[in-house]
């Protein structure tokens, strides 16, 4: 299969409230921009979707100077991509049959909406059932919380997985704000959780499931997905 004919669905959060803090959240720019460009530059056709459609909220912290990378700077100048992002497709209009893989960028937003979104859960299960890759980075492995495999077990049970670690959540001082801790939840579900050093790139692939630990893992997560699609 040629990469230029490949289609990947990127699913972003529509949730912008950081618990009861009064602060805003959303998706983390690097976790969207880095994978987007890895895929698009390889000729993959990328579609952006979100539960509510339209402009998904950007976590304002992810736009701070200390979190900028080559990919985020490219995104800042990319008017075409910003228009595409502002017109994300509502999840309910998406069909798994139209895509070769699904990718979830993180940020804290997904913990509140995508984790519990029945349309998102059903989509992931459809991709999995049809042997299509499922990839998620940072907080986004949390969207797998209620996803079942074809046997009715948790999708992550018995699989090598990673995701935002408890120590990283502690470092950003949101341990008591988030609805659940990604690391704890993946372990509770029976996932074989492991992590690298905080803030360093760490990616695991187990069959068609690819997970990345943190924002710095975004690019490598997308590269793993690309390699899997190329096989």
């Amino acid at each position: 299969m040629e990469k230029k004919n490949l289609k990947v669905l990127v699913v972003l959060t529509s949730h912008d409230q950081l618990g009861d803090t009064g602060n805003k959240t959303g998706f983390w720019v690097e976790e969207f921009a880095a994978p987007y460009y890895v895929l698009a530059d390889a000729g993959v056709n990328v579609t952006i979707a979100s539960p509510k459609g339209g402009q998904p909220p950007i976590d304002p912290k992810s736009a701070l100077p200390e979190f900028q990378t080559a990919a985020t700077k490219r995104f800042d100048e990319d008017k075409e991509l910003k228009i595409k992002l502002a017109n994300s497709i509502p999840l309910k209009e998406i069909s798994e049959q139209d895509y070769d893989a699904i990718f979830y960028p993180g940020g804290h937003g997904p913990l509140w909406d995508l984790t519990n979104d029945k349309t998102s859960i059903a989509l992931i299960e459809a991709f999995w059932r049809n042997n299509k890759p499922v990839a998620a980075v940072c907080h986004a492995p949390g969207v797998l919380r209620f996803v079942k495999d074809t046997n009715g077990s948790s999708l992550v049970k018995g699989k090598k997985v990673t995701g935002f670690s408890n120590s990283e959540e502690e470092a950003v001082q949101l341990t008591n704000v988030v609805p659940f801790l990604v690391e704890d939840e993946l372990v509770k579900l029976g996932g074989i959780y492991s992590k690298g050093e905080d803030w360093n790139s760490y990616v695991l692939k187990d069959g068609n499931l690819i997970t990345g630990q943190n924002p710095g893992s975004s690019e490598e997560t997308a590269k793993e997905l690309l390699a899997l699609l190329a096989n």
Side-chain angles (χ1 to χ4, degrees):
M1 192 182 290
E2 288 184 38
K3 288 199 189 89
K4 67 183 178 189
N5 296 323
L6 290 170
K7 293 181 179 177
V8 172
L9 180 68
V10 170
V11 181
L12 294 169
T13 182
S14 291
H15 184 87
D16 70 352
Q17 297 297 313
L18 190 60
D20 301 323
T21 63
N23 295 324
K24 293 289 189 183
T25 189
F27 73 88
W28 199 258
V29 174
E30 181 185 0
E31 296 171 31
F32 164 69
Y36 182 89
Y37 290 124
V38 165
L39 296 168
D41 289 350
V44 175
N45 186 320
V46 181
T47 296
I48 304 167
S50 63
K52 294 179 180 176
Q55 175 69 53
I58 292 173
D59 187 315
K61 280 191 175 174
S62 71
L64 293 174
E66 61 262 39
F67 299 122
Q68 300 318 297
T69 64
T72 65
K73 288 170 185 168
R74 183 174 168 188
F75 169 74
D76 288 341
E77 304 295 321
D78 194 338
K79 290 176 184 171
E80 197 176 321
L81 179 53
K82 285 186 174 179
I83 291 168
K84 186 174 179 177
L85 180 65
N87 292 283
S88 77
I89 299 168
L91 269 184
K92 64 178 186 293
E93 295 177 15
I94 295 289
S95 168
E96 161 271 325
Q97 295 171 338
D98 298 333
Y99 303 95
D100 300 295
I102 191 167
F103 188 103
Y104 283 79
H108 285 88
L111 298 185
W112 278 276
D113 66 346
L114 287 167
T115 294
N116 307 295
D117 189 288
K118 288 184 169 60
T119 306
S120 174
I121 292 166
L123 261 180
I124 297 169
E125 290 177 345
F127 275 85
W128 192 257
R129 194 166 56 244
N130 290 295
N131 297 312
K132 295 177 179 180
V134 173
V137 68
C138 198
H139 285 88
V143 307
L144 303 172
R145 189 181 193 187
F146 300 116
V147 176
K148 307 290 187 194
D149 66 13
T150 47
N151 301 318
S153 302
S154 169
L155 181 64
V156 303
K157 187 179 179 183
K159 294 185 183 67
K160 294 173 187 170
V161 287
T162 191
F164 206 58
S165 66
N166 290 353
S167 53
E168 288 167 321
E169 201 68 81
E170 189 67 41
V172 298
Q173 302 181 322
L174 291 172
T175 302
N176 298 317
V177 173
V178 292
F180 63 93
L181 294 167
V182 174
E183 177 181 335
D184 284 357
E185 192 62 28
L186 292 172
V187 170
K188 194 169 93 179
L189 291 167
I192 305 166
Y193 180 90
S194 63
K195 60 184 178 180
E197 289 181 39
D198 285 4
W199 313 114
N200 286 357
S201 180
Y202 185 77
V203 177
L204 290 174
K205 182 176 86 68
D206 193 327
N208 278 329
L209 182 63
I210 302 168
T211 49
Q213 182 180 327
N214 49 35
S217 310
S218 307
E219 190 169 315
E220 194 186 330
T221 303
K223 286 179 178 174
E224 284 285 350
L225 175 59
L226 205 54
L228 191 55
L229 287 169
N231 287 340

